[in-house]
Amino acid sequence: MRSSKGSVTLAASLLALAILAGCSSAPSVPEETLTRRNQAARFSESGNAQFNAGNYPLALRYFELALNENTAIDFLPGIARSHNSLGRVYAAAGQPQEAIGHYQTALRIARLADSGDLAMQAHVNLGVLALSGDDIALALRHFQDAEELISSGTAGESPVLHHGQGSVLARQQQFAQALERFERARVMNEDREDWIELASNHYMIASIHSRQGDFETARHHAEQALVFDRRAEHSPGIAADLGALGLISERMGDDEMALEYLLRSLRVYLTLNQPRPVLETLTRLEDLAERTGRNDEAAQFRAQRERVEAALRR
């Protein structure tokens, strides 16, 4: 009887397997896997919100939690995304070596996952980081690798890649070609309603027009950058946009407005607790105040700058 019962059970199992094999739909994902994937997605969303607010330590924590969830179920695309996100935090926090490590891991895992989009994203991130370190040759190699993934159909078109390529062209003073790239990225980001990247496009367009002496156009695009960074509540971007508007106002001869913009930029950087940008802005304020005869204000800015410098030396 025992063997007979076993034969019936085996036959039933084989029948069930045959039925499953004949189904066109894939088997359902285990509930625990979905739960962890969803939790990782929620952690990533929180991480992005903190990153946009300039709270890098908390953003880092959320992205690490997302990585843990994705790793627990060996979800390779999620692991690659998490490493790309961690790299962005370290890059923004001024720790390029840590960022490189995460981007390279993201690239390796993306290849294992056979995800051209995630591999392309890692190449773009590495290229942008190389560019920030003035290694234009390395940036171009990564951008070319990303371009090849797109042209082969392995990955979709990327506005961030266009932006990176535009940044290289701007460094090379090929302004017309750079503006074409930024415009392509701008249109794509506008369609996607990616306000932070759209603000970044306007910021770079403003920079090029300012370098060319077209300050009215530069101011328009810097103001647009501020509009979109505010919409996204992207505090680091808001501070940078205000700083750009201060520089443009100064070049247009409006020192009063330049001081106002720089003071607003300083206040944002202070709330973000970012000492390097605070120092840079205080130095700009000190120079502008001295040049315009505001000696008392210049002394105040100098004293604040010296306090920050002393704190950094501890």
Side-chain angles (χ1 to χ4, degrees):
M1 291 296 291
R2 290 172 62 94
S3 62
S4 174
K5 184 178 179 180
S7 298
V8 171
T9 304
L10 178 59
S13 299
L14 290 173
L15 178 61
L17 286 172
I19 292 172
L20 285 172
C23 293
S24 58
S25 58
S28 59
V29 179
E31 184 177 349
E32 182 183 2
T33 300
L34 283 176
T35 300
R36 284 188 176 274
R37 281 195 199 178
N38 292 337
Q39 184 61 66
R42 286 190 289 270
F43 283 140
S44 293
E45 185 177 350
S46 297
N48 285 324
Q50 294 302 323
F51 181 82
N52 294 344
N55 190 342
Y56 299 139
L58 194 51
L60 193 68
R61 180 59 181 147
Y62 276 121
F63 289 138
E64 286 172 342
L65 289 170
L67 176 61
N68 289 342
E69 293 296 324
N70 287 317
T71 301
I73 55 174
D74 194 37
F75 182 45
L76 296 180
I79 294 171
R81 273 194 291 271
S82 294
H83 279 291
N84 268 323
S85 295
L86 287 164
R88 285 171 52 229
V89 177
Y90 280 113
Q95 299 180 55
Q97 291 308 311
E98 288 82 355
I100 289 171
H102 282 289
Y103 289 152
Q104 289 176 339
T105 301
L107 181 58
R108 179 174 59 83
I109 299 297
R111 287 169 175 164
L112 285 175
D114 198 25
S115 173
D117 284 320
L118 290 171
M120 180 271 297
Q121 182 182 349
H123 276 302
V124 172
N125 288 338
L126 284 163
V128 170
L129 191 60
L131 187 60
S132 70
D134 293 325
D135 192 339
I136 293 179
L138 180 58
L140 285 172
R141 285 201 297 274
H142 281 297
F143 292 152
Q144 182 59 41
D145 288 338
E147 188 81 66
E148 288 174 0
L149 288 169
I150 294 170
S151 60
S152 68
T154 308
E157 192 175 6
S158 168
V160 181
L161 175 58
H162 290 309
H163 185 94
Q165 291 168 326
S167 298
V168 171
L169 290 165
R171 292 279 187 94
Q172 297 170 333
Q173 298 189 8
Q174 300 180 49
F175 296 133
Q177 297 93 320
L179 285 172
E180 289 177 6
R181 287 288 182 175
F182 290 133
E183 183 61 20
R184 288 178 67 179
R186 187 197 66 77
V187 170
M188 292 178 67
N189 285 320
E190 195 167 55
D191 289 342
R192 300 178 184 193
E193 297 187 349
D194 190 333
W195 309 129
I196 293 177
E197 291 299 329
L198 184 58
S200 184
N201 302 149
H202 280 289
Y203 181 93
M204 289 303 298
I205 293 171
S207 174
I208 288 176
H209 284 295
S210 179
R211 290 169 68 180
Q212 292 179 315
D214 186 356
F215 300 124
E216 288 291 347
T217 304
R219 181 168 62 183
H220 166 74
H221 283 284
E223 288 171 346
Q224 287 298 107
L226 183 59
V227 166
F228 290 116
D229 272 325
R230 280 176 172 163
R231 183 177 296 186
E233 297 185 354
H234 182 219
S235 297
I238 291 169
D241 299 334
L242 290 168
L245 284 163
L247 177 61
I248 293 166
S249 297
E250 187 178 352
R251 289 179 174 176
M252 295 178 75
D254 192 341
D255 294 332
E256 293 294 334
M257 187 58 70
L259 275 168
E260 182 61 37
Y261 277 127
L262 288 174
L263 283 170
R264 289 161 62 187
S265 177
L266 176 65
R267 286 194 288 268
V268 178
Y269 279 130
L270 286 169
T271 65
L272 296 175
N273 193 26
Q274 295 186 3
R276 295 300 176 188
V278 165
L279 276 177
E280 292 171 5
T281 308
L282 282 170
T283 300
R284 290 176 62 188
L285 282 164
E286 181 184 344
D287 292 344
L288 184 58
E290 285 179 347
R291 196 165 61 252
T292 55
R294 296 171 170 83
N295 296 326
D296 289 343
E297 292 179 37
Q300 292 175 14
F301 295 136
R302 187 180 308 111
Q304 291 180 55
R305 174 177 56 79
E306 289 171 352
R307 283 197 295 271
V308 175
E309 289 173 338
L312 288 176
R313 286 195 294 268
R314 291 174 190 164

